[in-house]
Amino acid sequence: LCADALEQLGYQAESGTWRNAYLTAAKELREGNVGAVRGASATGDLQKNMSANMLFDYFAIVLDKNTLAKEEFKMNFVLTDVKEEHVLSFNNGALLVYEDTLDEEADVTVTCPKNALFIIIKGDIETFETMAKIEGKKDILLDFAANLNEFTIGKGIQFNIIEP
């Protein structure tokens, strides 16, 4: 009865998102949660074409702010291939990014190509050191990189829409 009601709601929904949710829930009630979810495949092209600002925003998303909550630091990033300069300022658990500027009082200055930032995201600091010139307090960069969380989505992850 519930599946019939959800199906009817799905047919009447004007929003595609609600329609899909209702119909998926109805199917789940009738058939159970069967079959693997097809995950997205990434070739890396999208990431490689992200701007530096997007990458630094991604840093702010995946950074474990609770672990670094008491820390306060500034990092300069000079991206040689795209000729950009950025300051990352971390204070009170917030990472702020300033474009087209450098801070003379920064704790660490990193000079590297833009695509080397992906190496930091992966947490491979040894490889990053071969690609970048790091001046200042290197341990701040190491702590920063160590506290970047990685979101992994395995193949076949399933979750229920309607059933607990």
Side-chain angles (χ1 to χ4, degrees):
L1 185 60
C2 187
D4 289 340
L6 288 168
E7 189 174 56
Q8 205 54 51
L9 284 169
Y11 291 148
Q12 294 174 358
E14 293 180 18
S15 167
T17 304
W18 282 105
R19 177 185 184 279
N20 292 342
Y22 287 134
L23 294 177
T24 302
K27 181 177 180 179
E28 181 182 304
L29 283 175
R30 289 192 177 111
E31 301 172 13
N33 193 352
V34 293
V37 176
R38 196 179 83 199
S41 61
T43 60
D45 291 337
L46 176 68
Q47 291 84 356
K48 289 177 186 172
N49 288 307
M50 291 172 69
S51 69
N53 273 342
M54 290 178 178
L55 289 170
F56 290 130
D57 285 343
Y58 183 72
F59 283 172
I61 292 168
V62 298
L63 184 63
D64 186 357
K65 294 153 196 74
N66 292 331
T67 305
L68 297 174
K70 296 180 182 177
E71 302 291 327
E72 184 176 323
F73 56 84
K74 290 184 182 177
M75 296 188 293
N76 287 332
F77 278 87
V78 179
L79 306 176
T80 54
D81 56 341
V82 291
K83 296 178 178 53
E84 293 182 15
E85 299 173 336
H86 299 269
V87 176
L88 274 64
S89 175
F90 186 81
N91 190 6
N92 293 325
L95 182 67
L96 302 175
V97 180
Y98 301 97
E99 189 177 1
D100 297 328
T101 186
L102 292 177
D103 190 332
E104 293 177 10
E105 298 176 10
D107 298 300
V108 63
T109 299
V110 179
T111 305
C112 65
K114 181 189 71 130
N115 287 341
L117 298 176
F118 293 111
I119 306 297
I120 294 177
I121 292 171
K122 291 181 180 180
D124 189 1
I125 294 299
E126 293 172 0
T127 303
F128 181 74
E129 287 177 315
T130 63
M131 302 175 71
K133 178 181 172 186
I134 303 170
E135 301 174 63
K137 299 178 183 176
K138 180 178 161 183
D139 58 325
I140 290 176
L141 180 64
L142 294 175
D143 286 344
F144 179 80
N147 286 293
L148 292 174
N149 296 319
E150 184 177 341
F151 296 122
T152 55
I153 300 175
K155 292 182 179 179
I157 290 180
Q158 300 179 41
F159 58 92
N160 294 331
I161 301 291
I162 192 81
E163 295 178 341

